[in-house]
Amino acid sequence: MRLLIYLMGYTLANVLAILERELRSDRHRRYLGLGRRFKINRRYQECVGPGDLPGHCKHPLFCAMNVVGSSKNPVEHLCVIEKTFVGVCCPDDILLSNIVGSRIIMDLPAGGEDYDEQQNFTMGCGIFIDEKPQQSSAKEWPWLASLYDPETSKPFCGGALITDRHILTAAHCTEGRTPSDMRVRLGEYDYARPDETRARNFEISEIKEHEEFELSTYFNDIAILTLTNATGFNTYIWPICLPPLNKNYVNETVIVAGWGQISYSGNTSNILRQVEIPVWEHERCADSFVQTINEKTICAAAYEGGRDSCKGDSGGPLLHQLPNGRWVIIGIVSWGIGCGQKGQPGIYTRVDSYIPWILTNTIAK
C-alpha cells in the first residue's frame, strides 16, 4: 500500500526515469562496499518478484536480473528502500529460477564483507553452490584458474576468478608474454583426466600488469587478465570475493592451492592440491630474509617447514574464510626461497593493498 501511495501520480515513464537515476547514482557508489561496510547486495524487505518468486527489495543495479525488463507490469515489482529510493523486488534464488535475462552475479568484483552472516548462499562471490566437498576437487575451489601454454597444454601459473571476465594473478607470471602466449582454464581438477570435470578454456584479450611492478624485487607483483569471452558460473566455476581492508591475519590459518611442484625441483602436480598454513607476523618474516619484505606483502608457511606453496603455484590465491562464511583472496603467490624450508615462509602480494587498482581495471572500465 505504501508503495502505491508513493508512486501515485507517476506514469510508468516517470518510474523508469527514477530507476535510471538510481542506476546512475549507484554506479558511483559501487566502490563503497570495499571501503566500508556498505552492503552492495543488501536485501531489504521481503516481496514477491517476477514469476511469483519470493524475493527482497534491492537497489536495481545490484539485482542480478532485469526485473523491469522481464515484467509485463513493472510497477508491480517496484518497492521503496528506507523511504528514500525506488528499488525492485529481486528474486532470492535467481540461480534456480531459469528466468530469461537473469544473471547469477551482476556486481563483481565484490567484497567478502558485503554480505550478512548466514545470508542465504545462492548468490554472490566466495561460496560453494553445492555443499563443500569433503576432499579436494574442482568444486572445492571453483575460483581457481590455471594459466597454461597453448602449445604444450602444461600449466605454469595459477590465478583466481574475480568477475566473469577477469583473473587476478601475479605480474611475474605474465612478464614477457602476450595474450596469444597464454590460455586460462577454469573448472579444472586433474590435468591427466580431461573429461573429468566441466573445465573450460579461455583466450585472453588483455594483460594488465601493475605499472610499478619490479621484476628484480617482485614489488607490486600483481596482474589482471581479461578473458576474450565471459564465463558462465556453475558448481565448477565461481568467483572469489575481494578481502576487507586492513584486516590482521597473523596466526590465522589460510589455504593455498594450485598445480605447482610437489617438492622443490620435483614434478608439478596433475591434480589440484591444497595446504593449510599460518600467516606470519611481518617483522618475523622480514627478519628471515636478506631481501626487503615490504608492507604490501603477506608471509605464510608452516613454522616447522614442509607446508608451503612452490614453483608453479605462482599467481594462485591465498584463501581465507570470513566469519560470514564467504571466502576471500587475501594474497597472491609471489616468491620464496626454495619450498617448505623452515624459517623462510612464502611471500604473497597483499590483495587489499591493491583494491583501488583492481577496481580501476575491472568494473571501472
Side-chain angles (χ1 to χ4, degrees):
M1 177 63 70
R2 280 183 293 177
L3 177 59
L4 293 177
I5 294 173
Y6 180 86
L7 296 175
M8 190 175 297
Y10 284 86
T11 65
L12 179 58
N14 294 145
V15 173
L16 295 179
I18 292 171
L19 287 176
E20 178 59 28
R21 287 198 298 271
E22 267 286 276
L23 291 176
R24 285 198 297 267
S25 64
D26 274 338
R27 285 191 185 104
H28 294 292
R29 292 200 295 267
R30 292 180 78 184
Y31 297 178
L32 298 182
L34 301 173
R36 55 189 175 88
R37 284 182 173 267
F38 179 86
K39 306 294 187 180
I40 288 177
N41 283 312
R42 174 123 182 224
R43 297 180 181 185
Y44 294 90
Q45 65 269 26
E46 294 181 351
C47 55
V48 178
D52 293 328
L53 294 171
H56 286 77
C57 190
K58 297 182 70 174
H59 291 284
L61 181 63
F62 304 142
C63 179
M65 69 171 290
N66 182 2
V67 171
V68 174
S70 63
S71 303
K72 292 182 180 180
N73 185 359
V75 175
E76 290 184 353
H77 304 300
L78 299 180
C79 50
V80 177
I81 296 175
E82 296 181 341
K83 301 180 181 180
T84 305
F85 303 104
V86 176
V88 295
C89 186
C90 188
D92 291 335
D93 293 315
I94 291 175
L95 177 63
L96 306 176
S97 67
N98 296 318
I99 294 177
V100 176
S102 66
R103 290 181 58 187
I104 297 173
I105 298 174
M106 187 174 182
D107 189 72
L108 290 172
E113 287 192 338
D114 293 336
Y115 306 94
D116 295 326
E117 291 188 22
Q118 307 304 320
Q119 193 173 38
N120 185 21
F121 276 18
T122 59
M123 289 181 59
C125 56
I127 61 174
F128 303 105
I129 301 308
D130 289 344
E131 290 186 7
K132 188 175 184 296
Q134 297 302 310
Q135 58 185 9
S136 184
S137 71
K139 292 183 179 181
E140 184 167 16
W141 310 118
W143 34 80
L144 257 290
S146 174
L147 314 187
Y148 70 94
D149 186 320
E151 293 186 359
T152 65
S153 295
K154 291 186 177 181
F156 60 85
C157 271
L161 183 69
I162 58 172
T163 81
D164 57 354
R165 290 195 63 186
H166 296 99
I167 306 295
L168 198 60
T169 187
H172 79 265
C173 289
T174 62
E175 181 69 14
R177 296 179 182 269
T178 66
S180 61
D181 295 333
M182 315 166 55
R183 297 287 188 276
V184 170
R185 181 171 296 177
L186 299 173
E188 183 58 280
Y189 173 65
D190 188 345
Y191 261 88
R193 300 173 63 185
D195 298 327
E196 183 193 21
T197 66
R198 302 174 189 173
R200 293 189 60 197
N201 299 326
F202 295 85
E203 294 183 352
I204 298 168
S205 63
E206 182 183 5
I207 299 172
K208 179 64 177 180
E209 294 179 0
H210 195 281
E211 297 79 1
E212 297 180 9
F213 168 61
E214 297 180 8
L215 185 60
S216 60
T217 62
Y218 279 22
F219 286 176
N220 304 306
D221 191 13
I222 187 171
I224 293 173
L225 308 179
T226 301
L227 306 181
T228 301
N229 298 306
T231 180
F233 297 131
N234 53 48
T235 55
Y236 295 94
I237 301 174
W238 201 264
I240 185 70
C241 296
L242 296 180
L245 298 175
N246 304 317
K247 183 175 174 62
N248 183 1
Y249 299 102
V250 172
N251 291 324
E252 293 277 1
T253 297
V254 294
I255 292 175
V256 61
W259 292 268
Q261 292 177 343
I262 299 173
S263 62
Y264 186 64
S265 298
N267 295 324
T268 56
S269 175
N270 284 327
I271 65 171
L272 179 61
R273 295 169 62 89
Q274 65 186 57
V275 64
E276 295 184 351
I277 49 179
V279 175
W280 288 36
E281 291 183 356
H282 191 270
E283 184 177 355
R284 178 176 180 178
C285 176
D287 290 343
S288 302
F289 293 92
V290 175
Q291 299 90 337
T292 299
I293 308 298
N294 65 32
E295 295 292 335
K296 292 185 176 182
T297 57
I298 290 176
C299 306
Y303 294 114
E304 70 277 10
R307 287 181 288 124
D308 193 5
S309 54
C310 202
K311 185 177 181 181
D313 292 321
S314 290
L318 186 66
L319 303 167
H320 175 69
Q321 189 173 30
L322 298 178
N324 64 6
R326 303 277 170 168
W327 287 87
V328 295
I329 172 174
I330 66 170
I332 300 170
V333 181
S334 184
W335 64 276
I337 305 298
C339 304
Q341 294 191 32
K342 183 178 180 180
Q344 291 190 316
I347 308 300
Y348 299 78
T349 303
R350 186 176 179 111
V351 172
D352 69 340
S353 297
Y354 297 91
I355 285 179
W357 182 85
I358 293 170
L359 297 178
T360 298
N361 289 285
T362 52
I363 63 175
K365 287 193 171 183

